Amino acid sequence: MWRVLKFGGSSVASATSMSRVLDIVGAQAREEGVVLVASAISGATDALLRIADGDSTPLDELEKRHFAIVERLFTGGEKAALTARIRELFAEMEAAPAAEKVTYGEILSTTILCEKLRTEGWNAVWLDSRRLVVKDDLPETYRRIRAAIPDGADICVAPGFICCTSAGEVSTLGRGGSDYSAALYAAALDASSLQIWTDVPGIMTADPRRVPSARTIPVMSYSSALDMASHGAKVLYAPTIAPAMEKGLDIEIRNTFAPEGKFTRICATPDADAWIGVSVFGESLRVTGSSPDAALKAIPVLRDALVEAGIAATGIEADGGSLNVTLRPGVVEQGLRAIHRALFQTGSITSIPVFIAGYGAVGKALEAMILNTRQSVAARCGKSINIVGIAEHAGDYIDEFCRNAPKGTVFVDCTDSESIWREFDKLFRAGVSVVSSNRRSLAIPYVDYAALHASARENGVFFRYETTVGAALPMLESISRGANSLDEILSIEAVVSCTLNQILSEYVPGRQSFARCVRQAQAVGLTEQDPRLDLGGKDALRKLLILSREAGVHLEESEVQITPLIPQRLFNVPLDSFYDELEAMEGGFEAAYRHASENGCRLRFVSSLERIGDGYRAGIRIREVAQEHPAYHLKGTENAIIIRSSLKPYPLVIQGPGEGAAQAASSLLNDILR
Ligand code: ASP
Ligand code: MG
């Protein structure tokens, strides 16, 4: 049995490359007979065509390259003899009719290879393809090749590309035709294997010189290979496929420069994927596919991908399972990459499993947002979020969840549980990250807070909760960015209680009482179930703890001085009488309001952290803020935070919407993706 190994021009371009070829051939010849088909050394065919055109400039260089190879590969008498032979071949070429000059490239390269194999001790025989390969006559070609193989040869070396016509004139099989020569030798001999050795790792999803992320197609059908090869893919000469297919011969496309690396096998298999590869075909692109159904469905997808890349396709047409994409001139490379990305880089999208705990307004908004943004998130970040489970509430499912959660899962705490944080360590140890919108699970003693962070770090997972303060505003991130650069916090003023901002910005004495404003806020669901929690500063306290700790200050609840809006006794009465009592306090609220107005100020509920000597002072109270203060202009549920720090000459102010399920969902989504 014979194996046919074909090596292209770059595989035989130098002495070093030729040595590689000889190693590959030698290893295989120890197992079976080898027919080695070779191209001319790279550039030789072009040079010879110019010479045939009457331009003799490339001749010198061409001779030098061949002599240099001989110089490097041979010694002594063998070198002298081969040098003389090469000189003769050049003389023959110069004397030959113009049309025949081009055939000498392959004659030269194979003469050198054959000689070298002989010096290595192989019984190597040179076959003259000019007599054996008859253009357009397969039966005759096969007959002649079979008859030409001498008994006892280990290796036959045959020039690719060149042939004769039925009339006996020397001719060629067309540019790139050496692949076809190899297929003819293989088909004639019923070879056990046909290997096309080139300078790329097989047929790839796109030309790797144009699309660096192109990858090898391990197995493909004859028809897909034919589709690619006949629509611009340079790696294989299209006519090569027919003789192999007829004989049921597999074609392997291998890389001379990484012989053990990835390669492509072309055979009678059905294609594994709907999309095979993209090639450049003139000013248009050929997207080779194997399913007419998938091709039709892909048209709008490709159109979008091109628009996204700033390219308008002038036409996309299905042709069987493949597509022809016509582009306006000048954007072919960009279009190629955009389409390759759309069809082949989906595999590089990381999937993030997400579990949503707490199915209230925020949990529901997050679910909807994940589903709605799936495509754009994949395109923008190369990530795809998969909801693997949703739980109505915090509950006792966490142990079970930890046992089954795939690594990299993100647990999203959208509950308002005060105790769910006790499960976080377990989640971290199971390789699960936590993203939270639940302030209660953060406003915990500092030691517990620090332990959670340490555990997340040790387990290589993350614990993020940007949503807990100022909803979608990047408050925590801004603080921790400062902390990373040792930008020491001098003070933080945070106006982050949506409820109180709403109430205080609505309240105008005489128009409606303060108590009414509170009632209204409760009616629209802005307050906690019991609005006194807001008025007492509990919610602001939690947020201040989170903010301060993000700044590296180990603040505890007990260290925060809260001046509640209402006296302590109002906390202990039923809600109805609370409102009556609040109504009765209207005089006090009005006085505070008037005092502020007279000073050109407004009332705001401000949480603050201030550097005093070596320590910090934290407080929450109603303050009069003047017109220059960023909080003066806050409206409704707007939030603001003003950070003064050592590296910043002016305070950093972040202001914007502080509330809303969609805001919270968007912030959670970003914590998941970050
Ligand atoms: N040497 C020829 C060419 O450059 C044939 C081949 O390399 O396949 O077209
Ligand atoms: Mg080639």
Side-chain angles (χ1 to χ4, degrees):
M1 286 284 260
W2 293 91
R3 296 179 187 183
V4 177
L5 277 65
K6 179 263 170 179
F7 291 86
S10 55
S11 299
V12 294
S14 66
T16 322
S17 303
M18 278 200 187
S19 303
R20 247 182 232 123
V21 170
L22 295 162
D23 287 344
I24 294 168
V25 169
Q28 298 209 27
R30 272 186 278 280
E31 292 168 21
E32 256 178 318
V34 167
V35 176
L36 162 54
V37 177
S39 293
I41 69 172
S42 63
T45 306
D46 289 330
L48 290 166
L49 286 171
R50 281 173 64 191
I51 293 165
D53 255 4
D55 172 8
S56 60
T57 22
L59 181 60
D60 192 43
E61 162 87 10
L62 191 63
E63 285 182 335
K64 277 196 188 129
R65 285 181 61 202
H66 284 89
F67 288 126
I69 292 174
V70 174
E71 180 68 35
R72 287 266 317 274
L73 291 182
F74 297 85
T75 53
E78 283 154 351
K79 175 155 78 185
L82 186 58
T83 306
R85 176 80 190 117
I86 298 296
R87 195 161 282 133
E88 261 172 47
L89 286 173
F90 270 103
E92 238 179 69
M93 182 276 291
E94 285 182 86
E100 286 181 29
K101 291 190 198 301
V102 72
T103 62
Y104 281 84
E106 272 72 10
I107 296 174
L108 286 160
S109 65
T110 51
T111 299
I112 298 172
L113 287 164
C114 189
E115 263 327 292
K116 183 65 189 176
L117 287 165
R118 283 187 193 141
T119 63
E120 285 178 355
W122 295 101
N123 183 1
V125 178
W126 190 79
L127 300 178
D128 190 347
S129 303
R130 287 172 299 189
R131 292 179 212 291
L132 305 183
V133 178
V134 185
K135 207 171 180 171
D136 302 324
D137 191 345
L138 289 182
E140 183 57 21
T141 299
Y142 294 170
R143 195 162 30 240
R144 291 192 192 183
I145 289 174
R146 282 187 207 122
I149 302 281
D151 285 340
D154 303 316
I155 301 172
C156 295
V157 184
F161 183 51
I162 63 179
C163 62
C164 61
T165 61
S166 321
E169 291 153 348
V170 172
S171 183
T172 74
L173 297 171
R175 293 308 304 267
S178 294
D179 295 344
Y180 184 45
S181 310
L184 295 175
Y185 277 97
L189 299 172
D190 280 314
S192 62
S193 141
L194 169 57
Q195 306 169 21
I196 309 287
W197 289 81
T198 177
D199 54 5
V200 287
I203 302 185
M204 306 184 75
T205 50
D207 183 340
R209 280 168 287 242
R210 307 173 113 140
V211 183
S213 60
R215 55 172 195 270
T216 299
I217 304 155
V219 190
M220 66 196 298
S221 68
Y222 291 117
S223 59
S224 290
L226 183 60
D227 194 84
M228 285 185 76
S230 47
H231 292 92
K234 299 232 165 50
V235 56
L236 184 66
Y237 185 50
T240 312
I241 294 157
M245 189 168 141
E246 238 155 70
K247 296 269 178 175
L249 249 172
D250 292 3
I251 309 172
E252 289 174 14
I253 315 288
R254 290 181 169 269
N255 184 0
T256 309
F257 303 92
E260 305 295 330
K262 293 195 176 120
F263 66 97
T264 299
R265 178 185 303 282
I266 304 168
C267 53
T269 175
D271 288 289
D273 299 309
W275 297 108
I276 313 299
V278 204
S279 6
V280 178
F281 193 45
E283 276 295 323
S284 57
L285 299 173
R286 176 71 170 190
V287 188
T288 297
S290 59
S291 146
D293 227 34
L296 284 176
K297 282 204 200 105
I299 293 178
V301 177
L302 293 197
R303 216 176 273 287
D304 285 355
L306 289 169
V307 168
E308 174 89 359
I311 301 165
T314 50
I316 305 182
E317 275 158 31
D319 172 15
S322 299
L323 294 168
N324 289 321
V325 183
T326 320
L327 301 170
R328 78 184 144 76
V331 293
V332 170
E333 297 299 322
Q334 291 89 327
L336 171 66
R337 282 194 291 270
I339 287 184
H340 189 269
R341 217 179 303 121
L343 294 180
F344 297 102
Q345 255 134 295
T346 43
S348 67
I349 289 189
T350 10
S351 154
I352 308 176
V354 160
F355 183 91
I356 301 176
Y359 201 49
V362 172
K364 284 181 181 141
L366 177 61
E367 181 194 25
M369 191 170 282
I370 289 174
L371 299 177
N372 285 337
T373 58
R374 176 154 288 156
Q375 260 164 16
S376 59
V377 164
R380 285 173 54 89
C381 329
K383 293 175 185 170
S384 143
I385 302 178
N386 275 322
I387 301 177
V388 294
I390 295 179
E392 195 85 29
H393 304 286
D396 49 12
Y397 48 81
I398 303 240
D399 287 329
E400 169 84 18
F401 173 76
C402 286
R403 274 193 295 280
N404 301 316
K407 243 197 151 20
T409 300
V410 180
F411 180 95
V412 187
D413 175 10
C414 307
T415 70
D416 53 9
S417 160
E418 300 221 8
S419 57
I420 192 168
W421 63 271
R422 294 185 192 279
E423 312 286 338
F424 288 177
D425 182 54
K426 240 183 271 169
L427 290 165
F428 296 153
R429 279 188 279 126
V432 174
S433 293
V434 172
V435 163
S436 177
S437 65
N438 173 14
R439 296 184 260 297
R440 291 172 173 82
S441 62
L442 269 305
I444 54 179
Y446 186 80
V447 287
D448 295 317
Y449 165 93
L452 285 182
H453 273 282
S455 167
R457 256 199 312 278
E458 278 160 26
N459 291 292
V461 297
F462 56 78
F463 178 30
R464 296 173 187 153
Y465 39 83
E466 180 65 73
T467 319
T468 56
V469 189
L473 301 175
M475 293 183 168
L476 299 182
E477 198 191 327
S478 303
I479 293 178
S480 72
R481 283 163 71 119
N484 286 341
S485 52
L486 295 182
D487 186 5
E488 205 187 348
I489 299 286
L490 303 176
S491 75
I492 296 176
E493 286 173 83
V495 190
V496 285
S497 168
C498 297
T499 319
L500 280 156
N501 292 352
Q502 170 77 25
I503 293 167
L504 288 172
S505 67
E506 284 287 293
Y507 175 58
V508 179
R511 221 193 282 156
Q512 55 188 347
S513 70
F514 190 84
R516 273 220 66 78
C517 291
V518 176
R519 250 191 221 282
Q520 250 165 30
Q522 188 185 14
V524 298
L526 254 186
T527 65
E528 305 270 339
Q529 295 233 316
D530 184 337
R532 285 171 289 189
L533 287 180
D534 296 294
L535 300 182
K538 185 75 181 168
D539 180 62
L541 169 67
R542 292 190 183 116
K543 290 169 176 164
L544 182 60
L545 283 182
I546 298 168
L547 286 167
S548 304
R549 289 167 178 183
E550 210 61 21
V553 179
H554 302 187
L555 194 66
E556 295 288 3
E557 203 175 311
S558 59
E559 294 170 292
V560 182
Q561 280 213 354
I562 307 180
T563 314
L565 258 78
I566 48 172
Q568 197 52 47
R569 72 184 156 77
L570 256 70
F571 284 90
N572 308 322
V573 299
L575 202 57
D576 275 349
S577 17
F578 156 71
Y579 272 119
D580 292 342
E581 299 234 20
L582 198 62
E583 203 64 71
M585 288 170 60
E586 179 60 16
F589 291 121
E590 181 171 347
Y593 182 92
R594 300 250 180 257
H595 184 269
S597 306
E598 276 152 26
N599 293 324
C601 292
R602 286 179 179 165
L603 298 176
R604 294 290 180 256
F605 198 55
V606 184
S607 310
S608 62
L609 179 79
E610 229 179 315
R611 180 151 200 154
I612 309 277
D614 280 344
Y616 281 90
R617 188 170 64 196
I620 300 173
R621 65 189 166 89
I622 291 269
R623 266 175 40 193
E624 293 184 354
V625 297
Q627 202 155 1
E628 308 78 64
H629 196 282
Y632 181 91
H633 299 283
L634 291 188
K635 282 192 236 19
T637 56
E638 246 183 319
N639 278 194
I641 181 172
I642 301 114
I643 304 168
R644 292 184 178 76
S645 60
S646 55
L647 297 184
K648 296 191 183 75
Y650 307 103
L652 170 68
V653 180
I654 302 168
Q655 178 191 336
E659 190 268 336
Q663 303 289 333
S666 114
S667 175
L668 289 167
L669 184 74
N670 278 296
D671 271 355
I672 296 168
L673 293 171
R674 188 144 55 91

